[in-house]
């Protein structure tokens, strides 16, 4: 099993550009989520999904969209990148939202 | 979003010494408390999940306890080794969401 995979590993964007961060898992987990990690603030939940076709907002959803068309994939879309979205983004999955989360390797995003 | 505080923010420990640090929470209205270990340039890895007051978990030289009545969990490292250097995250899970503390960064000096 590959576990949770994320692409790309690194990305540099200009303000106003859009892009999609990819996340996939092969563990048949129903629950998937996106976090951002900023210095001194720990991991903050952006969006999550409890199953295909179901998504909901986390703590910091503004500026991000998600969709969940399959159990395996949970892409995160930045609509119009801003410097405040410079961060490291982690995707995670689990059987249920309250269970141990399995994290992907992260995407380091810089917005200029 | 559940409030999770971790202290200290960072600590240095000599190789071979034992150490412990705290995760505190004002409310016990959560399903489970999680501890994760996060090494630099890697992704967080789960250490323990605890759900009941008085729970104790152990993995090698690392152990954790949960006291929901007084609102804290301790993580202990016995006989610290350089490979224990990492950031240790505490998180509470409830209603499909995990709320993380900012972490305690442990540096083990040889």
């Amino acid at each position: 099993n590959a576990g949770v995979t994320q692409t790309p590993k690194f990305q540099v964007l200009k303000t106003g550009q859009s892009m999609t961060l990819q996340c996939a898992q092969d563990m048949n987990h129903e629950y998937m989520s996106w976090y951002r990690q900023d210095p001194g603030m720990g991991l903050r939940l952006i969006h999550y999904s409890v199953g295909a076709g179901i998504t909901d907002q986390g703590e910091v959803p503004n500026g991000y969209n998600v969709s969940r068309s399959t159990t395996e994939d949970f892409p995160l879309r930045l609509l119009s990148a801003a410097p405040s979205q410079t961060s490291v983004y982690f995707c995670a999955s689990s059987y249920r939202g309250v269970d141990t989360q399995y994290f992907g390797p992260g995407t380091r995003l810089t917005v200029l | 979003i559940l409030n999770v505080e971790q202290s200290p923010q960072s600590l240095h420990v000599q190789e071979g010494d034992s150490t412990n640090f705290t995760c505190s929470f004002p409310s016990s209205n959560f399903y489970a408390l999680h501890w994760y270990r996060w090494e630099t340039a890697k992704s967080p890895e789960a250490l323990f999940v605890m759900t009941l007051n008085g729970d104790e978990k152990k993995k090698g030289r690392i152990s954790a306890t949960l006291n929901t009545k007084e609102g804290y969990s301790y993580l202990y490292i016995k006989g610290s080794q350089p490979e224990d250097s990492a950031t240790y995250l505490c998180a509470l899970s409830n209603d499909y969401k995990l709320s993380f503390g900012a972490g305690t960064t442990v540096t083990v000096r040889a």
Side-chain angles (χ1 to χ4, degrees):
Chain A
N1 285 353
V4 181
T5 58
Q6 290 183 237
T7 57
K9 284 191 173 182
F10 302 95
Q11 183 70 49
V12 179
L13 292 178
K14 294 181 179 178
T15 297
Q17 287 184 316
S18 62
M19 79 159 294
T20 299
L21 308 185
Q22 301 292 342
C23 174
Q25 52 90 12
D26 61 359
M27 296 175 282
N28 203 30
H29 285 165
E30 289 294 327
Y31 183 89
M32 296 186 74
S33 54
W34 277 100
Y35 295 87
R36 60 178 288 173
Q37 190 264 324
D38 302 294
M41 301 191 74
L43 291 165
R44 291 184 293 167
L45 182 65
I46 304 171
H47 285 284
Y48 66 95
S49 168
V50 299
I54 306 170
T55 63
D56 205 346
Q57 296 180 351
E59 183 182 358
V60 288
N62 292 342
Y64 307 95
N65 271 359
V66 292
S67 60
R68 184 97 179 269
S69 56
T70 67
T71 298
E72 295 77 20
D73 300 297
F74 190 43
L76 178 73
R77 281 182 288 278
L78 279 70
L79 308 173
S80 177
S84 61
Q85 294 179 305
T86 294
S87 187
V88 181
Y89 291 85
F90 287 95
C91 179
S93 74
S94 64
Y95 287 108
R96 301 178 302 165
V98 294
D99 294 332
T100 294
Q101 301 289 302
Y102 294 86
F103 285 85
T107 295
R108 184 174 294 275
L109 176 68
T110 301
V111 183
L112 303 175
Chain B
I1 300 299
L2 299 168
N3 191 15
V4 185
E5 298 286 337
Q6 290 189 248
S7 63
Q9 185 176 353
S10 64
L11 63 89
H12 291 78
V13 60
Q14 202 66 30
E15 182 178 359
D17 289 349
S18 298
T19 188
N20 65 84
F21 38 93
T22 307
C23 172
S24 59
F25 39 90
S27 168
S28 298
N29 186 27
F30 57 86
Y31 178 83
L33 183 144
H34 306 249
W35 281 101
Y36 288 85
R37 183 170 179 273
W38 192 0
E39 292 182 71
T40 302
K42 295 186 177 180
S43 50
E45 291 184 349
L47 284 172
F48 307 115
V49 181
M50 296 180 286
T51 57
L52 299 175
N53 182 49
D55 264 354
E56 295 185 17
K57 295 288 178 83
K58 186 176 181 181
K59 183 182 290 188
R61 294 178 291 97
I62 302 177
S63 60
T65 61
L66 176 61
N67 186 327
T68 59
K69 292 183 179 180
E70 297 187 25
Y72 65 84
S73 173
Y74 288 143
L75 192 123
Y76 302 88
I77 304 175
K78 182 178 178 181
S80 302
Q81 299 298 310
E83 59 264 31
D84 297 326
S85 295
T87 296
Y88 292 83
L89 298 174
C90 173
L92 303 178
S93 58
N94 199 20
D95 294 334
Y96 306 113
K97 299 176 185 178
L98 247 66
S99 299
F100 282 86
T104 293
T105 299
V106 175
T107 303
V108 181
R109 294 183 282 214

